[in-house]
Amino acid sequence: MNDKVSAVAVFCGSSSGTQAIYDEKARETGRLLAERGIRLVYGGGRVGLMGAVADAALAAGGEVVGVMPEALVEREIAHKSLSHLHVVGSMHERKALMAELSDAFVALPGGAGTLEELFEQWTWAQLGVHAKPCGLLNVAGYFDPLLAMAQHMSGEGFMRREYLDMLVVAQTPAEILHGFAHYVAPAKKWREVPAP
C-alpha cells in the first residue's frame, strides 16, 4: 500500500488537442490534486493541457511546482503564477528534477514528449531505480493504441506481464489516485548476482 503520495508529476501536452474532454480532464486532475493536498509537479508551461492542469490546481488553492529548461522560459512559455518554478539547463535536468520531486507519475493526453517522459519513469520502475507508481489517464480511449502495443510487446516476449500490469490505467483522476494509493512495486528486473 502506497500512502505516501504527496506529490504527483503530471506529463501532458502543450497543446489542448482536438476534443474538449482533454482539457476538462486536465482541469479535473489539477483540481483533485489540490483538494487532496497533493502537490502538482509538471513541466511549468502556461499553454495547452499543461496550463489547464496548473490553472485548475492553483484556482483550488493547490501547490504547483513547475520545472522548465531556460530556453523555454525565454520563449515566454513559462507559467507566471506558480508556487515555484525551477529553471534548469536542459530537458534531461528537467526530467531528473521532476522525478526527484515526485512520488508518482501520470500521463494525460499529449505527444512524443509526454510519452518519452512517462516511458522513462516506467522503465526506471521496471529496473528498480525507483518504486513509484506510473499511470495513464486514458481520456476518451486516447491511450488505447499504446496499451495495445504494450500488450503486443508482452505477448512477443519483450516485456514481462508484471511490468505491463504495473501501469495504473484509469479514465478518471480519482481512479488514478486510488490506484496509486494501492500500488505495490514488482520485484526488480535485474537482481544482483553474487560474485563467483
Side-chain angles (χ1 to χ4, degrees):
M1 176 100 162
N2 187 341
D3 57 358
K4 296 183 180 178
V5 176
S6 60
V8 172
V10 174
F11 306 132
C12 59
S14 58
S15 170
S16 296
T18 59
Q19 299 187 53
I21 194 169
Y22 298 147
D23 186 84
E24 291 167 15
K25 288 298 179 183
R27 291 180 188 281
E28 183 181 334
T29 299
R31 192 166 46 250
L32 183 64
L33 291 175
E35 289 170 355
R36 297 210 180 166
I38 299 172
R39 181 185 319 110
L40 166 63
V41 178
Y42 85 119
R46 61 175 173 77
V47 294
L49 297 189
M50 293 175 73
V53 71
D55 287 342
L58 290 166
E63 182 180 358
V64 181
V65 176
V67 183
M68 182 172 276
E70 187 174 4
L72 295 181
V73 173
E74 290 172 354
R75 292 181 197 164
E76 299 183 350
I77 296 171
H79 200 297
K80 305 293 186 189
S81 303
L82 303 180
S83 308
H84 187 78
L85 177 65
H86 294 276
V87 179
V88 296
S90 69
M91 294 294 280
H92 293 292
E93 291 176 57
R94 173 198 238 179
K95 292 185 298 175
L97 184 54
M98 288 178 73
E100 181 183 326
L101 295 173
S102 304
D103 303 313
F105 310 92
V106 62
L108 278 60
T114 298
L115 294 181
E116 189 267 341
E117 290 169 324
L118 176 76
F119 275 35
E120 181 169 86
Q121 296 309 323
W122 186 17
T123 301
W124 286 4
Q126 290 177 38
L127 295 173
V129 174
H130 66 70
K132 302 172 183 180
C134 298
L136 293 171
L137 186 60
N138 195 20
V139 180
Y142 182 79
F143 288 113
D144 286 352
L146 174 63
L147 293 168
M149 183 64 202
Q151 291 276 2
H152 180 63
M153 288 189 287
S154 179
E156 293 296 310
F158 291 102
M159 181 188 298
R160 293 182 191 168
R161 182 73 206 191
E162 63 193 282
Y163 299 134
L164 175 59
D165 293 341
M166 72 191 295
L167 266 186
V168 176
V169 181
Q171 295 181 6
T172 70
E175 291 169 338
I176 287 283
L177 293 182
H178 178 78
F180 285 173
H182 294 85
Y183 177 77
V184 177
K188 293 181 180 180
K189 184 173 186 176
W190 307 113
R191 294 169 183 83
E192 289 186 27
V193 178

